Amino acid sequence: MFQRLRAFFGKTSALLPQALDTDNIPQHIAIIMDGNGRWAKNRGLPRIAGHHSGMKTVKRITMAADRLGVKYLTLYAFSTENWKRPKAEVEFLMKLPQQFLSIELKELIENNVQVRMMGYKEDLPSHTLEAVEEAVRQTAGNTGLVLNFALNYGSRKEMIGAVRQISEAVQAGRLAPQDIEDSHLAEHLLSAGIPDPDLLIRTSGELRLSNFMLWQLAYSEMWFTDVYWPEFTEEHFHDAVREYQRRARRYGGL
Ligand code: FPP
């Protein structure tokens, strides 16, 4: 029982854990999972060992988000720029979704989790895409946490795509330039239908967005930690949510 309470409250003080406000859980949390390579290097291991360990953190934090009642969890698993990495590392990263899903899909289904993918399918190896699409299919009717993998995702490419589609509508006379609003852009993004993240977490001490959800993060709270992704625990996750709950979100108002 104590362990369960502690898992829920996290550690803020040696004496009294500060409770999370269950009425103010971020609806959508997005995470830039960074530091796998450095975590491995510090241990004298190959970078891929870091990615493998990072996969276990994906499971840990998915379950933690589900327990908290988060509705959407978006994880930056592979960017459109990550193809520049050595071939062997890219190949390893492309095997992770199927490896993860072959181990975890059953439990995700038992927990009513819905798997989604946000990214460019055309460049993915068929074994990666098929595994993800199968998980998306099998969980489509689930109504719990939405686990959204940003896989081969890039925000600028996404925005250019939206601008092209809007331009076509303008050219065809379906939309007047002066009528273009936020909602037009949002509905042509890969995240269409998913609310903007309330909270962005980035691990590993880097303080940048790395082409991740640039439009959608306009009013998100940001939380950075030096902890490398493989070492990121449920307690760290609660620390981020606790800090989020201390912030006053004003959206440009007073
Ligand atoms: C960034 O760390 C991490 C990635 C590019 C890959 C993230 C992938 C995972 C955490 C596993 C994904 C799992 C599933 C199920 C899809 P880095 O390699 O850039 O670390 P570094 O900055 O320390 O080198």
Side-chain angles (χ1 to χ4, degrees):
M1 181 63 187
F2 178 68
Q3 260 185 344
R4 278 182 56 200
L5 279 173
R6 204 175 140 69
F8 186 73
F9 291 123
K11 182 186 74 181
T12 49
S13 131
L15 293 174
L16 267 184
Q18 190 193 325
L20 288 171
D21 177 358
T22 51
D23 292 330
N24 187 20
I25 299 297
Q27 186 186 20
H28 183 177
I29 300 182
I31 307 184
I32 302 177
M33 311 181 285
D34 198 8
N36 294 345
R38 279 164 285 168
W39 178 88
K41 190 169 175 233
N42 286 349
R43 281 163 181 72
L45 298 169
R47 290 178 57 80
I48 57 170
H51 296 314
H52 187 261
S53 186
M55 184 179 77
K56 294 184 183 162
T57 310
V58 168
K59 162 77 183 306
R60 184 158 70 234
I61 299 306
T62 299
M63 292 310 169
D66 189 36
R67 277 191 287 274
L68 272 191
V70 172
K71 183 63 194 153
Y72 300 90
L73 180 68
T74 297
L75 302 177
Y76 204 7
F78 194 89
S79 78
T80 45
E81 288 71 39
N82 286 150
W83 297 105
K84 294 181 209 152
R85 294 187 175 209
K87 190 164 171 272
E89 182 171 341
V90 169
E91 280 175 6
F92 188 85
L93 284 168
M94 284 297 143
K95 283 188 190 134
L96 286 183
Q98 66 202 99
Q99 204 181 330
F100 174 80
L101 291 165
S102 70
I103 303 167
E104 309 296 353
L105 184 58
K106 189 168 170 281
E107 199 177 330
L108 293 175
I109 291 171
E110 281 163 11
N111 284 282
N112 198 21
V113 172
Q114 187 190 121
V115 177
R116 290 200 204 172
M117 179 194 145
M118 179 175 81
Y120 295 95
K121 295 180 177 177
E122 57 272 14
D123 307 316
L124 294 175
S126 54
H127 62 87
T128 311
L129 186 58
E130 277 161 22
V132 175
E133 288 196 322
E134 179 59 25
V136 169
R137 252 194 312 276
Q138 285 198 37
T139 62
N142 290 355
T143 54
L145 172 74
V146 173
L147 174 58
N148 185 31
F149 285 110
L151 193 58
N152 194 25
Y153 172 85
S155 190
R156 288 189 169 182
K157 184 173 168 134
E158 178 189 37
M159 285 199 274
I160 288 170
V163 169
R164 283 201 184 121
Q165 290 181 55
I166 292 170
S167 306
E168 281 163 17
V170 169
Q171 203 171 31
R174 295 195 303 274
L175 183 64
Q178 63 272 21
D179 292 337
I180 298 172
E181 294 179 355
D182 285 23
S183 59
H184 290 107
L185 213 107
E187 73 199 21
H188 289 106
L189 297 177
L190 299 175
S191 59
I194 295 183
D196 291 342
D198 301 292
L199 172 64
L200 170 80
I201 295 173
R202 182 170 188 151
T203 58
S204 93
E206 306 295 349
L207 306 178
R208 56 176 171 264
L209 293 180
S210 302
N211 202 17
F212 185 53
M213 302 188 89
L214 302 179
W215 171 275
Q216 299 90 334
L217 292 171
Y219 285 103
S220 309
E221 296 299 324
M222 299 196 186
W223 189 84
F224 298 95
T225 175
D226 288 341
V227 173
Y228 293 144
W229 179 249
E231 288 175 330
F232 191 73
T233 62
E234 181 162 20
E235 211 162 276
H236 297 123
F237 188 64
H238 287 185
D239 287 344
V241 173
R242 198 173 288 108
E243 169 63 25
Y244 166 86
Q245 295 185 338
R246 280 197 285 266
R247 307 244 182 113
R249 302 186 74 190
R250 287 190 289 272
Y251 301 92
L254 294 179

